[in-house]
Amino acid sequence: MLPIVVKGEKARCVLVEEKSPVAKEFFASVSWDGRAKKPVLLFSDMGGKLPFMTQVLLKTSAFTVKYWPVMLLAAVGASMWFKYYTKTTNGRYKWDKLKLRLPARIGDVVQKVALARWSRTFSGTVAAGVPILQSIRVTGQTSGNTVIADAMEDVYESVKRGGTIAKPVSQHEIFPAMVSHMVAVSPD
């Protein structure tokens, strides 16, 4: 019986028969720090085929070890491009629209935060006596989302022509039905 020894200490109290060729191959494939050096050889010697996910993991690991500098440069380049792109008007609009459509209710949270910011600013400016047209323009700019800012531009144009706030708000999908109903019943 052979005890497993790693770095001069007994790592585990597992004993193995000396006569087992599979166990000898396994322990020969383990490096001193406990990481497997040759798992593919071990499994191929045993006559088995690696599971698909294990093959993917091993190929991904080999690719990462071989091309990590390129991957690092690509990640830095992509983040710099993303930062530049979101500073453009079109890029910012697309990023804000994408944030609103994120799965797992993340998009809903982003939408509710932006709408809360918009409604708080709008009610505060109107209560402070700021003219309604100026309030609409300011709240669109301070909402933190270009999709809401574009919707506020439509509201601004509607009110400037003598229309209501509720109609253009109800036509934009960024505003839930509850918001458009609340705006419709409030005194203009």
Side-chain angles (χ1 to χ4, degrees):
M1 304 270 238
L2 290 174
I4 299 174
V5 178
V6 178
K7 292 186 181 177
E9 297 179 21
K10 289 185 180 180
R12 293 178 186 89
C13 296
V14 178
L15 299 176
V16 185
E17 295 267 342
E18 280 184 330
K19 298 177 183 176
S20 171
V22 174
K24 283 184 180 180
E25 177 64 27
F26 175 75
F27 292 117
S29 71
V30 176
S31 66
W32 288 106
D33 59 358
R35 291 179 291 162
K37 294 187 282 186
K38 306 181 266 182
V40 177
L41 292 176
L42 175 68
F43 277 98
S44 64
D45 287 347
M46 292 170 60
K49 184 179 177 190
L50 290 172
F52 174 73
M53 289 307 293
T54 305
Q55 290 177 9
V56 169
L57 177 68
L58 290 172
K59 288 179 182 180
T60 304
S61 174
F63 180 82
T64 304
V65 167
K66 189 173 183 179
Y67 296 108
W68 72 267
V70 175
M71 293 173 64
L72 180 66
L73 286 174
V76 169
S79 65
M80 289 173 61
W81 173 84
F82 179 76
K83 191 171 184 176
Y84 168 77
Y85 182 68
T86 55
K87 287 185 179 183
T88 65
T89 306
N90 189 34
R92 176 66 187 213
Y93 182 80
K94 287 183 178 179
W95 173 238
D96 285 344
K97 198 168 187 175
L98 177 72
K99 285 191 296 187
L100 293 169
R101 295 172 189 233
L102 289 173
R105 298 211 175 254
I106 296 171
D108 291 342
V109 171
V110 170
Q111 178 187 25
K112 288 174 183 171
V113 167
L115 289 175
R117 188 178 298 142
W118 168 78
S119 62
R120 188 174 46 246
T121 306
F122 188 66
S123 67
T125 55
V126 170
V130 177
I132 194 78
L133 285 174
Q134 191 175 353
S135 292
I136 292 170
R137 183 148 285 167
V138 166
T139 56
Q141 294 168 352
T142 59
S143 67
N145 192 303
T146 56
V147 177
I148 292 179
D150 283 356
M152 287 290 91
E153 281 301 315
D154 290 348
V155 171
Y156 179 83
E157 292 300 321
S158 172
V159 172
K160 192 175 180 182
R161 289 189 312 263
T164 64
I165 296 173
K167 186 175 180 184
V169 164
S170 66
Q171 293 173 346
H172 287 278
E173 64 182 38
I174 182 71
F175 296 105
M178 181 181 72
V179 172
S180 62
H181 292 307
M182 289 173 68
V183 170
V185 297
S186 68
D188 286 329

